[in-house]
Amino acid sequence: MTYPTYIFNTLNEIARQNILPGLANMPSNFIISRANATARNLLNEKAVAEHFSHLQLQIVYLEKLNFTEQVQLFMNAQIIIAPHGAGLTNLTYCKETALVIELYPIGRNFN
């Protein structure tokens, strides 16, 4: 199912009008950690961050951020690396120029 673009544009605009303060404190390049989750963990997230050290990736734990902080994080994003999952719902708040690398488990069906 595909949702109309205006839905995402509207959510993004509402967020930009109401949640802008705090962007300066958020990393722009990050890896979404699932270390505290029971499934789809990225086992070598620290190694990924070290391998791409020139990108200054920070590991973030979305479950430790409230809604406003999550929106601010994604509004400030330039590079996001993340395992497939609900955390990527916040892509709604990214700029169109954000680069997203979604990691999907080998052998998992797309159904």
Side-chain angles (χ1 to χ4, degrees), residues 76-107:
N76 198 48
Q78 292 180 11
I79 299 173
I80 302 168
I81 299 175
H84 175 76
L88 292 175
T89 301
N90 291 315
L91 292 176
T92 298
Y93 305 107
C94 287
K95 297 173 196 144
E96 291 182 16
T97 56
L99 172 66
V100 180
I101 300 171
E102 180 179 11
L103 305 173
Y104 201 86
I106 294 173

mmCIF file of all heavy atoms in Angstrom, residues 76-107:
data_model
loop_
_atom_site.group_PDB
_atom_site.id
_atom_site.type_symbol
_atom_site.label_atom_id
_atom_site.label_comp_id
_atom_site.label_asym_id
_atom_site.label_seq_id
_atom_site.Cartn_x
_atom_site.Cartn_y
_atom_site.Cartn_z
ATOM 1 N N ASN A 76 17.314 16.428 11.547
ATOM 2 C CA ASN A 76 18.706 16.841 11.427
ATOM 3 C C ASN A 76 19.550 15.833 10.635
ATOM 4 O O ASN A 76 20.706 16.091 10.341
ATOM 5 C CB ASN A 76 19.297 17.040 12.833
ATOM 6 C CG ASN A 76 20.558 17.849 12.815
ATOM 7 O OD1 ASN A 76 20.613 18.898 12.202
ATOM 8 N ND2 ASN A 76 21.581 17.360 13.495
ATOM 9 N N ALA A 77 18.979 14.718 10.276
ATOM 10 C CA ALA A 77 19.739 13.610 9.680
ATOM 11 C C ALA A 77 20.286 13.919 8.291
ATOM 12 O O ALA A 77 19.596 14.492 7.452
ATOM 13 C CB ALA A 77 18.861 12.369 9.612
ATOM 14 N N GLN A 78 21.523 13.495 8.101
ATOM 15 C CA GLN A 78 22.139 13.512 6.774
ATOM 16 C C GLN A 78 22.395 12.085 6.302
ATOM 17 O O GLN A 78 22.165 11.769 5.150
ATOM 18 C CB GLN A 78 23.431 14.318 6.794
ATOM 19 C CG GLN A 78 23.200 15.797 7.018
ATOM 20 C CD GLN A 78 24.501 16.577 7.036
ATOM 21 O OE1 GLN A 78 25.564 16.066 6.696
ATOM 22 N NE2 GLN A 78 24.425 17.819 7.440
ATOM 23 N N ILE A 79 22.896 11.235 7.221
ATOM 24 C CA ILE A 79 23.158 9.830 6.906
ATOM 25 C C ILE A 79 22.572 8.969 8.020
ATOM 26 O O ILE A 79 22.849 9.199 9.199
ATOM 27 C CB ILE A 79 24.670 9.539 6.787
ATOM 28 C CG1 ILE A 79 25.289 10.360 5.653
ATOM 29 C CG2 ILE A 79 24.908 8.046 6.560
ATOM 30 C CD1 ILE A 79 26.808 10.255 5.587
ATOM 31 N N ILE A 80 21.758 7.985 7.632
ATOM 32 C CA ILE A 80 21.150 7.059 8.586
ATOM 33 C C ILE A 80 21.447 5.640 8.122
ATOM 34 O O ILE A 80 21.188 5.289 6.972
ATOM 35 C CB ILE A 80 19.621 7.236 8.649
ATOM 36 C CG1 ILE A 80 19.247 8.667 9.026
ATOM 37 C CG2 ILE A 80 19.001 6.232 9.623
ATOM 38 C CD1 ILE A 80 17.779 8.987 8.816
ATOM 39 N N ILE A 81 21.978 4.832 9.032
ATOM 40 C CA ILE A 81 22.165 3.404 8.775
ATOM 41 C C ILE A 81 21.321 2.691 9.822
ATOM 42 O O ILE A 81 21.434 2.975 11.019
ATOM 43 C CB ILE A 81 23.645 2.986 8.888
ATOM 44 C CG1 ILE A 81 24.491 3.746 7.861
ATOM 45 C CG2 ILE A 81 23.786 1.477 8.716
ATOM 46 C CD1 ILE A 81 25.984 3.500 7.969
ATOM 47 N N ALA A 82 20.453 1.780 9.363
ATOM 48 C CA ALA A 82 19.542 1.147 10.317
ATOM 49 C C ALA A 82 19.074 -0.210 9.833
ATOM 50 O O ALA A 82 18.845 -0.405 8.642
ATOM 51 C CB ALA A 82 18.326 2.036 10.538
ATOM 52 N N PRO A 83 18.896 -1.143 10.779
ATOM 53 C CA PRO A 83 18.234 -2.397 10.439
ATOM 54 C C PRO A 83 16.776 -2.125 10.091
ATOM 55 O O PRO A 83 16.186 -1.153 10.578
ATOM 56 C CB PRO A 83 18.326 -3.227 11.720
ATOM 57 C CG PRO A 83 19.318 -2.554 12.586
ATOM 58 C CD PRO A 83 19.330 -1.117 12.171
ATOM 59 N N HIS A 84 16.218 -2.963 9.257
ATOM 60 C CA HIS A 84 14.810 -2.861 8.900
ATOM 61 C C HIS A 84 13.962 -2.882 10.164
ATOM 62 O O HIS A 84 14.215 -3.656 11.074
ATOM 63 C CB HIS A 84 14.442 -4.032 7.991
ATOM 64 C CG HIS A 84 12.999 -4.109 7.655
ATOM 65 N ND1 HIS A 84 12.424 -3.260 6.746
ATOM 66 C CD2 HIS A 84 12.018 -4.906 8.119
ATOM 67 C CE1 HIS A 84 11.134 -3.555 6.654
ATOM 68 N NE2 HIS A 84 10.864 -4.544 7.477
ATOM 69 N N GLY A 85 12.979 -2.008 10.250
ATOM 70 C CA GLY A 85 12.099 -2.018 11.405
ATOM 71 C C GLY A 85 11.319 -0.731 11.553
ATOM 72 O O GLY A 85 11.454 0.211 10.774
ATOM 73 N N ALA A 86 10.517 -0.691 12.589
ATOM 74 C CA ALA A 86 9.604 0.429 12.826
ATOM 75 C C ALA A 86 10.336 1.743 13.108
ATOM 76 O O ALA A 86 9.764 2.807 12.899
ATOM 77 C CB ALA A 86 8.668 0.099 13.990
ATOM 78 N N GLY A 87 11.578 1.683 13.558
ATOM 79 C CA GLY A 87 12.328 2.911 13.818
ATOM 80 C C GLY A 87 12.459 3.786 12.587
ATOM 81 O O GLY A 87 12.606 5.003 12.699
ATOM 82 N N LEU A 88 12.363 3.161 11.426
ATOM 83 C CA LEU A 88 12.478 3.938 10.192
ATOM 84 C C LEU A 88 11.199 4.686 9.837
ATOM 85 O O LEU A 88 11.178 5.461 8.885
ATOM 86 C CB LEU A 88 12.923 3.025 9.044
ATOM 87 C CG LEU A 88 14.353 2.508 9.177
ATOM 88 C CD1 LEU A 88 14.684 1.512 8.073
ATOM 89 C CD2 LEU A 88 15.346 3.656 9.166
ATOM 90 N N THR A 89 10.156 4.500 10.611
ATOM 91 C CA THR A 89 8.934 5.271 10.407
ATOM 92 C C THR A 89 9.230 6.762 10.498
ATOM 93 O O THR A 89 8.619 7.582 9.804
ATOM 94 C CB THR A 89 7.874 4.893 11.462
ATOM 95 O OG1 THR A 89 7.613 3.506 11.349
ATOM 96 C CG2 THR A 89 6.598 5.683 11.292
ATOM 97 N N ASN A 90 10.193 7.113 11.321
ATOM 98 C CA ASN A 90 10.557 8.511 11.510
ATOM 99 C C ASN A 90 11.219 9.139 10.290
ATOM 100 O O ASN A 90 11.501 10.341 10.289
ATOM 101 C CB ASN A 90 11.459 8.663 12.730
ATOM 102 C CG ASN A 90 10.716 8.391 14.016
ATOM 103 O OD1 ASN A 90 9.600 8.868 14.194
ATOM 104 N ND2 ASN A 90 11.309 7.627 14.902
ATOM 105 N N LEU A 91 11.451 8.368 9.243
ATOM 106 C CA LEU A 91 11.983 8.934 8.007
ATOM 107 C C LEU A 91 11.049 10.012 7.469
ATOM 108 O O LEU A 91 11.463 10.874 6.694
ATOM 109 C CB LEU A 91 12.185 7.847 6.943
ATOM 110 C CG LEU A 91 13.286 6.833 7.221
ATOM 111 C CD1 LEU A 91 13.306 5.757 6.138
ATOM 112 C CD2 LEU A 91 14.637 7.522 7.319
ATOM 113 N N THR A 92 9.802 9.964 7.891
ATOM 114 C CA THR A 92 8.824 10.995 7.530
ATOM 115 C C THR A 92 9.367 12.391 7.798
ATOM 116 O O THR A 92 9.063 13.334 7.075
ATOM 117 C CB THR A 92 7.532 10.789 8.348
ATOM 118 O OG1 THR A 92 6.992 9.523 8.027
ATOM 119 C CG2 THR A 92 6.511 11.873 8.092
ATOM 120 N N TYR A 93 10.210 12.541 8.804
ATOM 121 C CA TYR A 93 10.678 13.855 9.240
ATOM 122 C C TYR A 93 12.027 14.246 8.649
ATOM 123 O O TYR A 93 12.535 15.319 8.951
ATOM 124 C CB TYR A 93 10.718 13.903 10.765
ATOM 125 C CG TYR A 93 9.381 13.539 11.359
ATOM 126 C CD1 TYR A 93 9.187 12.316 11.986
ATOM 127 C CD2 TYR A 93 8.293 14.396 11.223
ATOM 128 C CE1 TYR A 93 7.938 11.970 12.494
ATOM 129 C CE2 TYR A 93 7.047 14.049 11.725
ATOM 130 C CZ TYR A 93 6.877 12.840 12.355
ATOM 131 O OH TYR A 93 5.642 12.496 12.837
ATOM 132 N N CYS A 94 12.594 13.407 7.794
ATOM 133 C CA CYS A 94 13.888 13.710 7.185
ATOM 134 C C CYS A 94 13.753 14.711 6.051
ATOM 135 O O CYS A 94 12.702 14.842 5.430
ATOM 136 C CB CYS A 94 14.504 12.434 6.596
ATOM 137 S SG CYS A 94 15.130 11.291 7.800
ATOM 138 N N LYS A 95 14.872 15.362 5.775
ATOM 139 C CA LYS A 95 14.960 16.178 4.567
ATOM 140 C C LYS A 95 15.050 15.223 3.376
ATOM 141 O O LYS A 95 15.493 14.078 3.513
ATOM 142 C CB LYS A 95 16.216 17.046 4.610
ATOM 143 C CG LYS A 95 16.241 18.034 5.743
ATOM 144 C CD LYS A 95 17.584 18.732 5.805
ATOM 145 C CE LYS A 95 17.753 19.410 7.137
ATOM 146 N NZ LYS A 95 19.109 19.372 7.621
ATOM 147 N N GLU A 96 14.675 15.697 2.218
ATOM 148 C CA GLU A 96 14.733 14.868 1.017
ATOM 149 C C GLU A 96 16.159 14.466 0.663
ATOM 150 O O GLU A 96 16.375 13.487 -0.041
ATOM 151 C CB GLU A 96 14.104 15.613 -0.166
ATOM 152 C CG GLU A 96 12.606 15.781 -0.035
ATOM 153 C CD GLU A 96 11.999 16.474 -1.244
ATOM 154 O OE1 GLU A 96 12.665 16.562 -2.298
ATOM 155 O OE2 GLU A 96 10.860 16.928 -1.120
ATOM 156 N N THR A 97 17.134 15.189 1.169
ATOM 157 C CA THR A 97 18.536 14.926 0.845
ATOM 158 C C THR A 97 19.186 13.883 1.757
ATOM 159 O O THR A 97 20.337 13.515 1.542
ATOM 160 C CB THR A 97 19.349 16.226 0.920
ATOM 161 O OG1 THR A 97 19.183 16.801 2.222
ATOM 162 C CG2 THR A 97 18.884 17.220 -0.137
ATOM 163 N N ALA A 98 18.466 13.418 2.772
ATOM 164 C CA ALA A 98 19.043 12.430 3.698
ATOM 165 C C ALA A 98 19.347 11.126 2.964
ATOM 166 O O ALA A 98 18.562 10.666 2.135
ATOM 167 C CB ALA A 98 18.090 12.176 4.850
ATOM 168 N N LEU A 99 20.488 10.550 3.278
ATOM 169 C CA LEU A 99 20.891 9.254 2.725
ATOM 170 C C LEU A 99 20.535 8.187 3.744
ATOM 171 O O LEU A 99 20.936 8.282 4.909
ATOM 172 C CB LEU A 99 22.395 9.233 2.454
ATOM 173 C CG LEU A 99 22.987 7.890 2.056
ATOM 174 C CD1 LEU A 99 22.451 7.444 0.699
ATOM 175 C CD2 LEU A 99 24.493 7.963 2.037
ATOM 176 N N VAL A 100 19.784 7.174 3.314
ATOM 177 C CA VAL A 100 19.344 6.109 4.215
ATOM 178 C C VAL A 100 19.850 4.777 3.694
ATOM 179 O O VAL A 100 19.631 4.430 2.528
ATOM 180 C CB VAL A 100 17.805 6.066 4.318
ATOM 181 C CG1 VAL A 100 17.365 4.954 5.253
ATOM 182 C CG2 VAL A 100 17.265 7.406 4.776
ATOM 183 N N ILE A 101 20.520 4.037 4.566
ATOM 184 C CA ILE A 101 20.955 2.682 4.249
ATOM 185 C C ILE A 101 20.193 1.762 5.191
ATOM 186 O O ILE A 101 20.425 1.764 6.396
ATOM 187 C CB ILE A 101 22.479 2.514 4.419
ATOM 188 C CG1 ILE A 101 23.208 3.491 3.494
ATOM 189 C CG2 ILE A 101 22.889 1.067 4.169
ATOM 190 C CD1 ILE A 101 24.693 3.578 3.723
ATOM 191 N N GLU A 102 19.255 1.001 4.623
ATOM 192 C CA GLU A 102 18.431 0.080 5.407
ATOM 193 C C GLU A 102 19.001 -1.319 5.271
ATOM 194 O O GLU A 102 19.180 -1.823 4.165
ATOM 195 C CB GLU A 102 16.990 0.114 4.911
ATOM 196 C CG GLU A 102 16.073 -0.811 5.684
ATOM 197 C CD GLU A 102 14.642 -0.746 5.194
ATOM 198 O OE1 GLU A 102 14.382 -0.153 4.132
ATOM 199 O OE2 GLU A 102 13.777 -1.293 5.885
ATOM 200 N N LEU A 103 19.290 -1.936 6.396
ATOM 201 C CA LEU A 103 19.866 -3.280 6.412
ATOM 202 C C LEU A 103 18.740 -4.290 6.601
ATOM 203 O O LEU A 103 17.985 -4.211 7.563
ATOM 204 C CB LEU A 103 20.894 -3.393 7.537
ATOM 205 C CG LEU A 103 21.996 -2.326 7.496
ATOM 206 C CD1 LEU A 103 22.865 -2.414 8.725
ATOM 207 C CD2 LEU A 103 22.822 -2.454 6.231
ATOM 208 N N TYR A 104 18.654 -5.214 5.665
ATOM 209 C CA TYR A 104 17.577 -6.193 5.694
ATOM 210 C C TYR A 104 18.185 -7.580 5.845
ATOM 211 O O TYR A 104 19.129 -7.920 5.139
ATOM 212 C CB TYR A 104 16.766 -6.106 4.395
ATOM 213 C CG TYR A 104 15.389 -6.681 4.523
ATOM 214 C CD1 TYR A 104 14.338 -5.903 4.992
ATOM 215 C CD2 TYR A 104 15.136 -8.004 4.207
ATOM 216 C CE1 TYR A 104 13.065 -6.417 5.124
ATOM 217 C CE2 TYR A 104 13.870 -8.536 4.338
ATOM 218 C CZ TYR A 104 12.839 -7.740 4.791
ATOM 219 O OH TYR A 104 11.579 -8.250 4.924
ATOM 220 N N PRO A 105 17.673 -8.404 6.776
ATOM 221 C CA PRO A 105 18.271 -9.724 7.037
ATOM 222 C C PRO A 105 18.231 -10.649 5.818
ATOM 223 O O PRO A 105 17.235 -10.690 5.085
ATOM 224 C CB PRO A 105 17.391 -10.310 8.153
ATOM 225 C CG PRO A 105 16.574 -9.192 8.665
ATOM 226 C CD PRO A 105 16.521 -8.144 7.604
ATOM 227 N N ILE A 106 19.289 -11.377 5.628
ATOM 228 C CA ILE A 106 19.357 -12.375 4.552
ATOM 229 C C ILE A 106 18.347 -13.474 4.845
ATOM 230 O O ILE A 106 18.209 -13.920 5.980
ATOM 231 C CB ILE A 106 20.773 -12.985 4.462
ATOM 232 C CG1 ILE A 106 21.764 -11.906 4.020
ATOM 233 C CG2 ILE A 106 20.808 -14.170 3.501
ATOM 234 C CD1 ILE A 106 23.210 -12.359 4.057
ATOM 235 N N GLY A 107 17.627 -13.881 3.810
ATOM 236 C CA GLY A 107 16.682 -14.993 3.954
ATOM 237 C C GLY A 107 15.315 -14.601 4.449
ATOM 238 O O GLY A 107 14.441 -15.452 4.610
#
